[in-house]
Amino acid sequence: MLIERDVQVLNFDAVGEAYAIAANYLRRSGVLSSDGIETNDRLLEIIVGLYYGGEHNRIKLANKAITRFQADS
C-alpha cells in the first residue's frame, strides 16, 4: 500500500502563465529589464508563495505578484 504524506503539488501551468503575465507587464512598464528572457527569481518566488498560500487563479496570481513586486522595489 502506497501512502503519501505532506505532498505539495504545484500546478506549473498556472504558475508559468501567471509569471508570463506579470513579467510581460513589468517589462512593458520598465520595472524589469527587457534585455533577454531571463527569469526574475524574486518575481517567481512571489508567485510560488502566493500559490502555496492558496491563490490558484493565474490572473489573480499575476496581479498580486505585480503589486508585491512593485511594493518591494
Side-chain angles (χ1 to χ4, degrees), residues 3 6 12 24 30 32 34 46 49 51-53 59 61-62 67-68:
I3 299 174
D6 297 324
F12 288 106
N24 184 41
L32 285 180
S34 60
I46 292 170
Y51 184 87
Y52 282 135
I59 301 296
L61 277 170
T67 301
R68 283 200 188 167

Side-chain angles (χ1 to χ4, degrees), residues 9-21:
V9 177
L10 182 64
N11 182 338
F12 288 106
D13 289 335
V15 171
E17 289 175 9
Y19 180 85
I21 293 166

Side-chain angles (χ1 to χ4, degrees), residues 8-12 14-16 18-19 40-56 61-62 65 68:
Q8 294 183 342
V9 177
L10 182 64
N11 182 338
F12 288 106
V15 171
Y19 180 85
N40 185 290
D41 293 333
R42 191 163 58 99
L43 179 59
L44 185 57
E45 287 174 9
I46 292 170
I47 292 172
V48 170
L50 289 167
Y51 184 87
Y52 282 135
E55 185 58 67
H56 301 284
L61 277 170
R68 283 200 188 167

